[in-house]
Amino acid sequence: MRLKWAKRVVLILIGVVLVGLAVLGAANKWSEAVMIALLPLGLFMLVFGVIGVMPSGNWKEGNLQWPEADLLARVDEMTGRVDKLAAGLDELRREWRATDERLTDIILALEPPPDDELTDEERLQQLEDDMNSTDVVVSTMAMEGSGYEDGSTYEEWRASLEELRTLYYREERRQRARQKYRIARSER
């Protein structure tokens, strides 16, 4: 793993302290076991700090694998490329959504109004009234926990309410699209 500068400095300091303790122990005639433990460990810490990478491998078996410095640079470069591609993909998604919205608006604007003998305002008002009355029935059924007089269930009324909401928002969007693209109304 690649080490940052702060960790490298800490490893170098630890290595210098351990090597210094080993030299001090040799000067004061400490046990050889102390020098055998401190000197290699201190040298390893110095090497890790100077090189800036920690080896991987199995300490028990004694094999160390040093990572390739250019491999890390290539990984960083590829990560940068992936980030750029992700940003480009996000931009394409935004453009696609905007294009999809425009195309849907154009299609809705070119669609003829429903053949119900109502003006746009009357149609929206009727859909809103139907939606509100159905919402009252659904709320009442939910609070009472019972069905309606004609045997219809809560789920049927709930589905009907969702269908009315869909029709209302579609009609509202169709009218906005007709105004946006200034398509003449062919009302009766």
Side-chain angles (χ1 to χ4, degrees):
M1 88 178 152
R2 194 166 213 61
L3 299 175
K4 303 220 185 266
W5 282 103
K7 292 181 181 179
R8 291 176 73 174
V9 169
V10 169
L11 283 177
I12 290 172
L13 290 175
I14 291 172
V16 167
V17 168
L18 291 175
V19 169
L21 284 174
V23 170
L24 181 67
N28 290 334
K29 298 191 183 194
W30 291 353
S31 167
E32 286 85 21
V34 173
M35 264 80 65
I36 290 174
L38 292 177
L39 190 61
L41 188 59
L43 290 175
F44 275 132
M45 294 294 171
L46 280 172
V47 169
F48 297 161
V50 170
I51 293 176
V53 292
M54 295 284 283
S56 62
N58 190 339
W59 290 92
K60 195 175 197 180
E61 294 177 8
N63 62 352
L64 295 176
Q65 298 171 349
W66 293 93
E68 300 175 30
D70 66 329
L71 178 66
L72 294 173
R74 286 185 288 170
V75 168
D76 290 342
E77 178 186 337
M78 291 178 82
T79 303
R81 287 182 186 172
V82 168
D83 291 342
K84 287 180 184 176
L85 285 173
L89 186 61
D90 288 342
E91 179 64 29
L92 284 174
R93 283 184 181 140
R94 280 191 296 275
E95 288 178 18
W96 175 79
R97 284 187 198 112
T99 304
D100 183 54
E101 289 291 319
R102 267 185 262 133
L103 285 174
T104 303
D105 283 347
I106 290 171
I107 290 169
L108 285 173
L110 293 174
E111 183 178 273
D115 191 22
D116 57 3
E117 307 283 331
L118 297 174
T119 65
D120 285 346
E121 293 79 18
E122 291 171 344
R123 188 175 306 109
L124 274 180
Q125 187 60 46
Q126 181 182 2
L127 284 170
E128 188 174 359
D129 292 343
D130 291 347
M131 196 169 50
N132 290 337
S133 63
T134 305
D135 189 31
V136 167
V137 171
V138 168
S139 299
T140 304
M141 289 176 82
M143 288 175 30
E144 293 177 358
S146 62
Y148 206 63
E149 293 93 26
D150 65 354
S152 57
T153 64
Y154 172 78
E155 288 79 22
E156 291 171 344
W157 280 94
R158 184 81 180 145
S160 176
L161 178 62
E162 291 303 317
E163 183 179 340
L164 283 170
R165 283 184 179 149
T166 303
L167 287 172
Y168 177 80
Y169 293 124
R170 185 176 190 282
E171 178 62 23
E172 186 179 48
R173 186 171 179 184
R174 185 188 70 79
Q175 289 179 20
R176 269 188 279 128
R178 289 178 76 85
Q179 291 172 358
K180 180 178 179 181
Y181 294 106
R182 291 175 176 58
I183 295 178
R185 298 179 200 165
S186 59
E187 296 180 7
R188 299 176 189 183

